[in-house]
Structure formats: C-alpha cells, structure tokens
Amino acid sequence: MRVFEILSLVKPDLKPEECKIHLATWNGEDEPLDVYLAGGFDEWQQWQTYKNFARPWVVSLISLPGTNRWLFPGLYRSKGCCWRPDKDLYYYNLEEDKSCAELNGRLVARFVRPGRQPYLNAEKWVDGLTLEAVYEERLTIGEFPGFKALHLTKGELELIVRQSLKSWRTALSSVAGVYLISDTLSGKLYVGSATGEGGIWQRWQAYAGNGHGDNVELRALLNEAGPSRANHFQYSVLEIADTHASPEDVLHREAHWKRVLMSQAHGLNGN
C-alpha cells in the first residue's frame, strides 16, 4: 500500500503535486531521529539553508536505522518563510496538520532515496513510497543503541517489548549474558543472567510483564511494596555471550559480577 493512500484516508484533499517530501537525515550536526524523540523536530525542521519548501504542504520522513526505512513525524502546511540574517538561514512557518496526528510517530514507510537530494516533489515518487508498518503506539524511544550504551527504565522496557521493536528484539535475542537491574529508590543492585534460545530478550520480556521475572528476591520486594515498585528499576547489560555458550560459563560470569558489585551482601541477590 502506498503512503499517500493512507494519508488520503485522513486528509482526502491532499494532492501529491502540492507536496514536498522532506527526507530528514544526518546533516553533519544533528541526528533527526534523536531530535524528534527529544521533542524538537518541528522547530529543527523550520530552519533551512535554502527555500526548500516552495509548496503548500510538507510530508516529512525521518531516516531510521536499517535500509530504506522512514518514520513519519507529521504533515505540515507551509505558510511561507523569511530570511534570518542573524542565523544566515531561512525560517519557515510550518504548521502541523492535525488531521494526520494519529499517524505521527507510528507510520513507517519504505522508500529508496534517489541520490542525496532530501527535498522531493511528491508526485514523482508516489508509487515508490510504500507502507512498511503502523505501530500500535507512537515511537518514543530510539533504535537499539548498542550494548555499551544500553540503559532502560521500566517504562521504556515495557514499551520496547509491547511494540516488539525490531532492532531491540533482534539484538537482545541474539545474545546470552549477564545483566543488571538497579533499584533507583534504594540503590540496591540485582545481577542476573540469560542463556539459550531467545537470549536476554526472552528474559527481559518477563520483567516487562510482571516486574520480577520470577526472581525470588524481586518478587518478595514487589509483594511487600506493590507492583508499582518495579517502576524504580533500570536495566543494563554487563556482559554478553553467544547464545550457544554453556549455561555453566554464563553462570560463572554471573557469579563474578555478583562478587564485584557485592549484590549478595548489599543488594538484591539472595544467592
């Protein structure tokens, strides 16, 4: 299905020949997906080096990690621009069209970018702009950042698991390893491990579901303080291993981290 067919369902009078497609990609300073997730995309897009939006409508698409994947942040009406000598840039008065708001941050398009040009006349590319997915909820978290940068709140973990975000699921299900749960309310730590098929993803699905993942100590804490206590947990990975690594080897590394972090004597590990 074509993206413009989807948009026409909520805005029947939208015509491709009146639209510019803005392919928002790394500009040497900012990553537009990060800007969007931080809530600053609309303002960021309004500053342009040239008169790039010389049409009534702008269909914006933000580059996603992977090949030819784009997130739809919104449809904007262009109400003209003015030159700002203090910035050496044009400032566009772009107004988001609320008729498409339900698709913002949810619609993912597939489109092969024709060269490096980020501003396209929509009617030439209507057939190539197709629908890949519509998420159940608006994307509020970026693509998988790598194991070294991984640091999730309970709410973020729930969102990732609920949406089964592909980059996260692929990365976390491909490795076994040792992970850390930090209780930000008490400062105590819990060290756990995941082995076998499904890796860390399968283990963390349980934490997203009930908060304790059937760990005796965590379950006792939540039984005493209530399920909402898990909202103070944060999740990170200490060490990864191949999913075919022996459970004994992974448990040996888990024991090492328990000693280093003293999570048995002063944390949430009971053994």
Side-chain angles (χ1 to χ4, degrees):
M1 190 171 191
R2 298 184 300 182
V3 167
F4 270 88
E5 291 174 333
I6 299 288
L7 296 180
S8 67
L9 294 177
V10 292
K11 190 169 182 60
D13 59 339
L14 185 67
K15 300 176 181 177
E17 57 270 22
E18 295 181 347
C19 299
K20 275 284 188 178
I21 297 173
H22 178 205
L23 301 177
T25 58
W26 167 255
N27 64 2
E29 296 182 7
D30 300 308
E31 178 57 63
L33 181 60
D34 292 340
V35 174
Y36 172 77
L37 294 172
F41 180 79
D42 288 5
E43 174 69 16
W44 180 86
Q45 181 179 232
Q46 288 177 306
W47 294 98
Q48 296 289 322
T49 307
Y50 303 102
K51 292 184 177 181
N52 295 314
F53 300 139
R55 284 191 169 189
W57 297 98
V58 178
V59 177
S60 298
L61 297 170
I62 298 173
S63 177
L64 291 174
T67 305
N68 304 322
R69 299 174 64 243
W70 305 85
L71 180 72
F72 174 73
L75 172 69
Y76 302 86
R77 178 183 286 278
S78 175
K79 294 187 171 183
C81 66
C82 63
W83 174 249
R84 287 284 300 273
D86 56 322
K87 299 283 190 178
D88 197 28
L89 293 169
Y90 287 97
Y91 185 79
Y92 270 86
N93 180 9
L94 297 179
E95 181 180 275
E96 182 189 345
D97 188 275
K98 300 300 182 181
S99 64
C100 297
E102 285 299 311
L103 295 172
N104 295 359
R106 297 176 55 220
L107 187 153
V108 176
R110 180 161 292 277
F111 181 66
V112 180
R113 182 179 180 181
R116 300 179 62 183
Q117 174 57 255
Y119 307 98
L120 306 175
N121 293 332
E123 70 273 15
K124 295 180 61 177
W125 307 100
V126 168
D127 292 337
L129 188 60
T130 59
L131 178 69
E132 178 175 290
V134 177
Y135 294 148
E136 290 186 7
E137 299 178 55
R138 185 171 297 188
L139 184 66
T140 56
I141 190 168
E143 300 290 304
F144 184 74
F147 292 102
K148 292 182 179 180
L150 198 160
H151 186 213
L152 295 173
T153 65
K154 176 64 159 51
E156 289 170 336
L157 178 62
E158 289 177 348
L159 178 64
I160 290 166
V161 169
R162 187 165 58 248
Q163 294 189 348
S164 191
L165 296 180
K166 184 177 179 181
S167 67
W168 289 84
R169 186 181 71 249
T170 300
L172 292 172
S173 63
S174 68
V175 296
V178 182
Y179 57 83
L180 181 70
I181 300 177
S182 306
D183 180 2
T184 61
L185 196 60
S186 68
K188 293 184 178 181
L189 304 175
Y190 178 88
V191 175
S193 63
T195 59
E197 186 176 355
I200 293 174
W201 173 260
Q202 184 178 52
R203 193 74 193 92
W204 282 12
Q205 281 182 303
Y207 291 119
N210 58 27
H212 55 70
D214 291 325
N215 296 125
V216 174
E217 298 80 10
L218 297 181
R219 185 169 59 232
L221 175 61
L222 298 187
N223 286 341
E224 178 181 353
S228 62
R229 186 69 168 75
N231 293 335
H232 295 281
F233 293 168
Q234 294 186 352
Y235 305 84
S236 55
V237 173
L238 295 171
E239 184 174 323
I240 62 173
D242 191 280
T243 53
H244 298 295
S246 72
E248 292 77 14
D249 287 342
V250 176
L251 289 173
H252 176 74
R253 297 303 301 165
E254 178 186 2
H256 164 77
W257 283 108
K258 287 177 180 177
R259 290 192 299 272
V260 169
L261 298 174
M262 298 184 289
S263 64
Q264 291 173 301
H266 303 289
L268 294 169
N269 285 107
N271 53 52

